[in-house]
Structures are given as structure tokens and as C-alpha cells.
Amino acid sequence: PKGAQPAVQDPIGGPVSATKRSWPTMDLNQLLNALRATLSPDAATRTAAEQALQQGTSTPGYLPGLIRIISEAQVEAPVRQAATIYFKNIVARHWDGTDGKPVFSEEDKALIRNNMLEALSFADSVLHVQIAITLKTIARLDFPSKWPNLVDDIAGRLTSGDSRRTFGALSALLYLCKNYEYRPSDDRDELQAICEKTFPVLLQLLSSLVNTDTTESYAAQKIIIKTFWVCTQLTVPPMLQQHGAIAPWMELFMQVLS
């Protein structure tokens, strides 16, 4: 009908059904309407919507529903932004449970982990940092024990040839490494493993980007350099202590500065 709001779509293709097996009890259109209502100029409407969203936090499918809405370009930008803020705050407060009791099912949490990199890759600039911060929170609690494939997935996207997925992977890597930024040298084994897996790829990427004069190239170069700084400012990883290992990085940094 004329004036009707767009239905929620699966970002991979096709409509998202509220009865889909992975989201058995969450009505996604109801969730979407509640998010829209939080933007209402009427205070009573906003309050009722915010209460409904808070009450639905532990409903199976709630978090996956939010990330589907965040990932759907057809949904209005302010609504996607509201969904992103709710998503970030709820994860920060409840991902590891409340009062020792789980809030989200392991199935829902696995769905979120499996979709975070894709959501980050296709988020606009307003949403991108919020999603990256949320990934950082989840990784701090779940990596590597419950998210063992995270670094492999990031590395695969870095070499995917898809610029948006590459940029999303760069952001994911930066925020993952931030979890280790100020850890002492005797508590950086996981960071060292991350560096060994990704730094050779980052070096190749920076080499290919340094002579590319585009806004996107500058943004990617900035993230790579920030990641290098986060991983080295307190102590240099063993892989970069090998003879000649750090020289190519310094040469590229000089090119960036020039």
C-alpha cells in the first residue's frame, strides 16, 4: 500500500520471516515498529516503545533481529541507527549474563558472532564505529574460546578483493587488537598470534594502497597504521623483532608521510 514502510529483508536476499527457525519467537516487524516509535515526537509513544524494547531483551531472536535490521539498507537510516545503539548497549550490559544468569541463548550469540563481520562491512559511516565497538566487546568476552574462527575470517576478508569487506575486516582487526593494547608483555600471546596471522597481509595491503590517491585508500591506510601502533606501542611482537622484519613497515610509513 502507498506509504507503507518497507518490510525487513534478509541482507543475503529474500524476506526475513518471523517464523524462521533461527528466530522462533521474535516478530521482526514488531521490533522494527518499536524502534520507529522510539523516534516519535510524542513522549508517551517514545516511553512505551523504550519499555517494550527493554522488556523484550531476553526474547529469543531479539539480538539477531536487531542485527538484521541494522544490516538492511531499505530500513530508514534513523531507525537503523537506533537499532545499532540499542544493540551496542544491550551487548555491553548483558552479553556475559546478568547476576550470573545468561540473558541470551548460545544459539543467538552464535548467530551474532557469525554475522558481525558482514554487518560491519556494509554499515555506513554513522553505524560503522558503533558496530566495531560492539565487536570489540564480544571479542573481549568470547575470543578465542567461543569465537575461534574470528581471525581466520578477518584474514580471509582482507584478501577477498571486495573493498567493503576488506575495509570491514580492517576495522574488525583494529578493534580486536584494542582489547590487548595495554596488556603487559607476559599476557600478549593471543595478540602475537593475531599479528603473525594478519601482519603479512596488512603489509601487502598498505604497499598496494600507499600510491592510491582516493578517500577510501586513505581511510584504509589510517586503520592499518593505527593497528600497527596498537600492537607495538608497548612492546614489539616477536615476529617484528626478526632481522629485517620491521624495515618494510618503516619504508611504507615514510611513503605515507611524504
Side-chain angles (χ1 to χ4, degrees):
K2 186 177 181 180
Q5 300 287 2
V8 181
Q9 301 286 317
D10 189 313
I12 299 174
V16 175
S17 169
T19 59
K20 193 172 180 178
R21 183 172 179 270
S22 297
W23 296 271
T25 60
M26 173 54 61
D27 184 331
L28 293 185
N29 286 314
Q30 184 179 6
L31 177 57
L32 182 57
N33 289 334
L35 289 165
R36 286 192 179 113
T38 65
L39 306 175
S40 170
D42 180 69
T45 300
R46 290 197 307 273
T47 299
E50 290 164 0
Q51 290 176 348
L53 288 169
Q54 290 175 0
Q55 291 170 359
T57 297
S58 60
T59 303
Y62 184 86
L63 278 183
L66 284 176
I67 204 167
R68 291 294 183 181
I69 291 169
I70 291 165
S71 301
E72 178 46 59
Q74 293 184 11
V75 174
E76 314 91 285
V79 176
R80 294 173 64 211
Q81 186 172 0
T84 303
I85 293 170
Y86 272 94
F87 181 67
K88 182 190 73 171
N89 291 341
I90 288 167
V91 166
R93 293 170 186 162
H94 302 301
W95 186 263
D96 208 25
T98 302
D99 297 329
K101 298 179 181 179
V103 174
F104 310 120
S105 70
E106 288 303 318
E107 180 186 23
D108 277 7
K109 292 168 79 171
L111 284 166
I112 295 302
R113 289 190 292 265
N114 290 339
N115 283 281
M116 284 299 294
L117 293 180
E118 193 73 357
L120 186 59
S121 296
F122 291 92
D124 59 36
S125 58
V126 176
L127 308 182
H128 192 91
V129 172
Q130 303 299 321
I131 297 173
I133 291 170
T134 307
L135 183 146
K136 177 176 179 282
T137 300
I138 296 173
R140 177 173 56 82
L141 296 167
D142 286 5
F143 176 82
S145 60
K146 295 182 180 180
W147 206 351
N149 60 322
L150 176 58
V151 176
D152 285 338
D153 288 348
I154 289 173
R157 286 168 176 264
L158 290 175
T159 58
S160 67
D162 183 312
S163 60
R164 298 188 71 171
R165 288 186 170 89
T166 297
F167 189 78
L170 287 173
S171 294
L173 180 61
L174 171 60
Y175 279 82
L176 170 63
C177 292
K178 280 178 174 288
N179 283 328
Y180 303 91
E181 185 171 8
Y182 299 110
R183 290 194 186 183
S185 57
D186 60 356
D187 189 23
R188 296 169 74 90
D189 289 349
E190 290 171 3
L191 180 62
Q192 291 173 14
I194 293 168
C195 292
E196 289 173 1
K197 185 78 175 182
T198 61
F199 268 40
V201 182
L202 293 184
L203 185 64
Q204 292 178 0
L205 273 175
L206 186 58
S207 179
S208 67
L209 291 168
V210 73
N211 294 315
T212 305
D213 188 18
T214 65
T215 302
E216 292 78 10
S217 173
Y218 296 150
Q221 291 177 54
K222 180 179 178 180
I223 293 180
I224 293 172
I225 294 168
K226 288 176 72 173
T227 302
F228 185 92
W229 168 253
V230 164
C231 296
T232 62
Q233 64 162 316
L234 287 186
T235 182
V236 177
M239 64 169 296
L240 291 178
Q241 296 179 27
Q242 302 300 314
H243 179 71
I246 206 166
W249 285 97
M250 297 301 108
E251 292 171 4
L252 287 174
F253 293 158
M254 291 299 295
Q255 289 186 50
V256 171
L257 289 173
S258 64

